Amino acid sequence: NAGVTQTPKFQVLKTGQSMTLQCAQDMNHNSMYWYRQDPGMGLRLIYYSASEGTTDKGEVPNGYNVSRLNKREFSLRLESAAPSQTSVYFCASSLFRDRVYGYTFGSGTRLTVV
Amino acid sequence: KNEVEQSPQNLTAQEGEFITINCSYSVGISALHWLQQHPGGGIVSLFMLSSGKKKHGRLIATINIQEKHSSLHITASHPRDSAVYICAVLNPGGGADGLTFGKGTHLIIQP
């Protein structure tokens, strides 16, 4: 089925470890996003990529890096994980960033940092 | 920055009841999304609307651009409708603040 695929679905890290969350979409969307979801808060934008070859910071970028590998793939890297990064992470994509087109979300990655 | 407020935060109802979830925002928008998130699950887009009303099955979404307000209605509610419903607004123009999300409404439909 067409959509946004995120891996892994679950991950436990020790403080200081690094990892990369993978995201791929097969809808030929131009824009891709990484969000985090924490209890009692709305989803918050970490980084986005308006088009292939560009990335920009969102609301909460500290402690993260991203790579737009090609049009399909947008990865999120935690270089040195901290307990404050325990969250559920969602990747999303849309045809264009600031036009009235729908967003498609991945199924989420539940990350625990101990 | 757009402020998005949803009400109620939590709602428990009996099967068959008519459900209304409200969303208000502070700054003009390009469009508004209603999203559904089941426990432990991903996020599914239910509606995207910029004016008027949309209907899909038992779900109806309305938006009043002048009043900066949207509602999501569920008719003949069913336990499978139990989920978190999230309102998200698309802010016009470029920049980082594309979508701004509400905190969600936790809906439980009891048999």
Side-chain angles (χ1 to χ4, degrees):
Chain A
N1 292 336
V4 177
T5 303
Q6 278 184 245
T7 55
K9 291 191 183 300
F10 300 95
Q11 183 72 48
V12 178
L13 289 178
K14 294 181 179 179
T15 298
Q17 286 185 318
S18 63
M19 79 161 294
T20 299
L21 281 65
Q22 306 287 353
C23 176
Q25 54 90 10
D26 58 4
M27 296 170 289
N28 203 34
H29 283 174
N30 292 290
S31 300
M32 298 185 74
Y33 317 85
W34 277 105
Y35 294 93
R36 60 178 289 172
Q37 184 181 42
D38 300 296
M41 304 186 74
L43 283 125
R44 293 181 293 168
L45 182 65
I46 305 171
Y47 270 92
Y48 70 100
S49 171
S51 61
E52 185 179 357
T54 69
T55 61
D56 286 284
K57 295 178 180 179
E59 183 183 354
V60 288
N62 291 346
Y64 305 95
N65 285 301
V66 290
S67 296
R68 183 74 183 266
L69 304 170
N70 47 55
K71 190 170 185 180
R72 292 185 64 250
E73 298 171 288
F74 188 41
S75 62
L76 178 72
R77 183 161 178 84
L78 287 70
E79 290 291 351
S80 179
S84 61
Q85 294 178 305
T86 294
S87 187
V88 181
Y89 292 85
F90 287 95
C91 178
S93 69
S94 66
L95 187 56
F96 293 110
R97 169 143 183 77
D98 58 353
R99 313 284 175 83
V100 185
Y101 292 106
Y103 280 57
T104 301
F105 289 84
S107 58
T109 297
R110 189 172 295 273
L111 175 66
T112 302
V113 183
V114 297
Chain B
K1 179 176 166 64
N2 218 332
E3 301 292 332
V4 180
E5 297 289 336
Q6 285 187 239
S7 63
Q9 289 186 330
N10 298 285
L11 178 59
T12 299
Q14 296 298 311
E15 184 173 356
E17 287 188 36
F18 182 83
I19 303 298
T20 296
I21 299 170
N22 296 300
C23 175
S24 60
Y25 51 93
S26 59
V27 179
I29 61 172
S30 296
L32 182 144
H33 294 257
W34 280 104
L35 310 168
Q36 181 190 56
Q37 184 176 25
H38 283 286
I43 297 171
V44 176
S45 179
L46 296 174
F47 295 103
M48 182 181 65
L49 63 166
S50 55
S51 64
K53 175 180 174 179
K54 286 191 176 180
K55 183 175 188 292
H56 180 69
R58 295 180 295 105
L59 301 178
I60 303 166
T62 64
I63 188 168
N64 186 318
I65 295 294
Q66 286 73 28
E67 295 190 1
K68 297 185 177 63
H69 181 268
S70 175
S71 293
L72 176 68
H73 305 286
I74 305 175
T75 62
S77 59
H78 190 276
R80 65 175 174 267
D81 298 325
S82 298
V84 176
Y85 292 86
I86 301 170
C87 169
V89 299
L90 181 62
N91 302 294
D97 58 341
L99 277 181
T100 303
F101 295 82
K103 295 180 181 180
T105 294
H106 292 247
L107 174 66
I108 298 173
I109 303 297
Q110 295 179 334

